Amino acid sequence: MQVLLIEPDAILAATYKQALEAVDAHVIIAQGAQEAMFAIDEALPDIIVMEMQLPGSNGIAFLQELRSYSDLAHLPVIIHAMHMPRNVRAVKAIMARDFSVHTWLYKPKTTIQTLQQVVVYQATMPATTEELA
Amino acid sequence: MWHEAEQQLRLLRSVAEQLKLPLVTIARQAELADATDAPLDSEMMRLQADVAMKLLDSYLLGLELIGQRQLDLEPVSVSSTLTDVAHAVSNFAKRYDVSVELHIAGRYGPVMAHSQALRAALLNVGYGLVAQSATLEAKRVVFAGHRTPGGIVAGMYTQSGLTADAWRQALILQDSAPQPLTPLNSASAGMFVADALGQIMETRLRVSRFGRKQGLAMTLQPSKQMQLV
């Protein structure tokens, strides 16, 4: 299982990388949107786990670009964000409708174990991701 | 009055949001050490806790100083404060693979400032810029002091491409919309606190240039008392 982890904070990224490697994932870290697109060009991941606040760009802009490519339109994406939007229900609905993103994990409440479970589940059973939303 | 209260509330929200990063980092590190064979990185946890506590202390210092009728400004050495702050962030910077450089151009004597507030302001800007420059190609923060016709400038600079417009927008939005603050990210709360401390000392944190780098700096007035001596 190849995971692309888009996490701007280097120390937090290293922690999540270790956690995902413990469930046999091969993890590539990108700190921003552009680096993430380059990483996808290099090797197509099975799943993307991403922060929404990215340096030099933002999560929405990245998702717009990602979904504009037909071969990446259905690549599973998990939002793993430090900030929960105030209108969370509306935002989740838009993310599902416009970007086929069905899982929004709030970092402060998401334990290492939960992240591992969700990533493994979604990477291996992408067709049923809506059940987790 | 309402505007002031609203500003205070936004600053508080921004600080609260900012504190999530070090706390989440500590919590996940502890979980990882429990769940796997990974050793507990106690130095990293201490550094993250330090950053969080410094931010809280600076915020509280700002509240305390706002409450004072007259602020006791005193002659403070900018070069000494910059050197001290550069040293204080160096271990944190190492963990992010960011190099910290110090450029003090010439001797320019002390400025009038609140020593504790100036140090706290520069320290928060330093932590913020170190975390941001870790995402840049040039992982380097330059701490610099120089003289201008307007006063003595104490600032910190990176190659982030930060513009005055982006900083102005960040100050207006603060907690409300972290998304479009390119190239400022969530590390901005410390900078907002630094700006608030600057305002108490009758200066502001402004976008400044140093060579080809951009950064945030405060312009401080030289101490006239010391010039007479």
Side-chain angles (χ1 to χ4, degrees), chain A residues 7-12 14-16 18-20 22 31 35 51-60 82-84 86 106-113 116, chain B residues 13 17-18 20-22 24-25 27-29 31-32 35-36 38-39 44 48 92 95-96 131-132 134-136 139 175-176 178-180 182-186:
Chain A
E7 169 55 62
D9 188 85
I11 292 174
L12 204 49
T15 305
Y16 287 131
Q18 268 185 290
L20 293 171
Q31 287 189 294
E35 203 183 328
E51 170 57 76
M52 287 299 282
Q53 275 187 268
L54 303 174
S57 177
N58 65 56
I60 298 289
M82 191 65 87
H83 303 281
M84 193 57 104
R86 285 174 196 167
Y106 178 47
K107 265 184 205 163
K109 282 191 178 173
T110 306
T111 62
I112 291 288
Q113 198 185 13
Q116 289 170 330
Chain B
R13 277 202 203 117
E17 286 288 342
Q18 176 71 58
K20 287 180 191 172
L21 178 62
V24 165
T25 307
R28 298 295 95 87
Q29 265 286 326
E31 279 173 27
L32 188 68
T36 67
M44 187 281 297
Q48 294 287 343
F92 180 72
R95 295 306 298 253
Y96 280 93
Q132 282 183 4
T135 66
L136 303 174
K139 299 184 193 312
D175 68 305
S176 56
Q179 276 291 328
T182 311
L184 293 171
N185 59 18
S186 61

Side-chain angles (χ1 to χ4, degrees), chain B residues 53-66 68 71-77 80-82 84-85 111-125 193-194 196-198 200-201 218 220:
Chain B
M53 285 188 291
K54 296 267 165 41
L55 178 60
L56 275 177
D57 275 345
S58 304
Y59 177 76
L60 292 172
L61 176 66
L63 287 184
E64 189 188 314
L65 294 180
I66 282 174
Q68 288 182 10
L71 192 63
D72 291 329
L73 299 183
E74 57 191 333
V76 178
S77 162
S80 159
T81 308
L82 277 171
D84 179 35
V85 170
V111 295
M112 289 308 288
H114 186 282
S115 138
Q116 206 185 345
L118 179 62
R119 188 185 187 279
L122 295 178
L123 193 59
N124 279 293
V125 177
V193 170
L197 289 168
I200 294 167
M201 294 186 289
M218 277 181 184
L220 301 144

Side-chain angles (χ1 to χ4, degrees), chain B residues 3-104:
Chain B
H3 183 64
E4 224 171 74
E6 175 71 9
Q7 267 189 332
Q8 280 297 324
L9 193 61
R10 290 170 76 171
L11 186 60
L12 178 60
R13 277 202 203 117
S14 172
V15 168
E17 286 288 342
Q18 176 71 58
L19 286 173
K20 287 180 191 172
L21 178 62
L23 293 177
V24 165
T25 307
I26 291 168
R28 298 295 95 87
Q29 265 286 326
E31 279 173 27
L32 188 68
D34 280 348
T36 67
D37 294 335
L40 192 65
D41 190 345
S42 57
E43 195 218 359
M44 187 281 297
M45 292 169 92
R46 188 183 55 75
L47 284 170
Q48 294 287 343
D50 268 356
V51 172
M53 285 188 291
K54 296 267 165 41
L55 178 60
L56 275 177
D57 275 345
S58 304
Y59 177 76
L60 292 172
L61 176 66
L63 287 184
E64 189 188 314
L65 294 180
I66 282 174
Q68 288 182 10
R69 276 194 178 173
Q70 198 178 352
L71 192 63
D72 291 329
L73 299 183
E74 57 191 333
V76 178
S77 162
V78 168
S79 56
S80 159
T81 308
L82 277 171
T83 306
D84 179 35
V85 170
H87 179 71
V89 303
S90 61
N91 282 340
F92 180 72
K94 259 185 219 161
R95 295 306 298 253
Y96 280 93
D97 285 330
V98 172
S99 69
V100 172
E101 289 175 25
L102 192 62
H103 282 268
I104 308 288

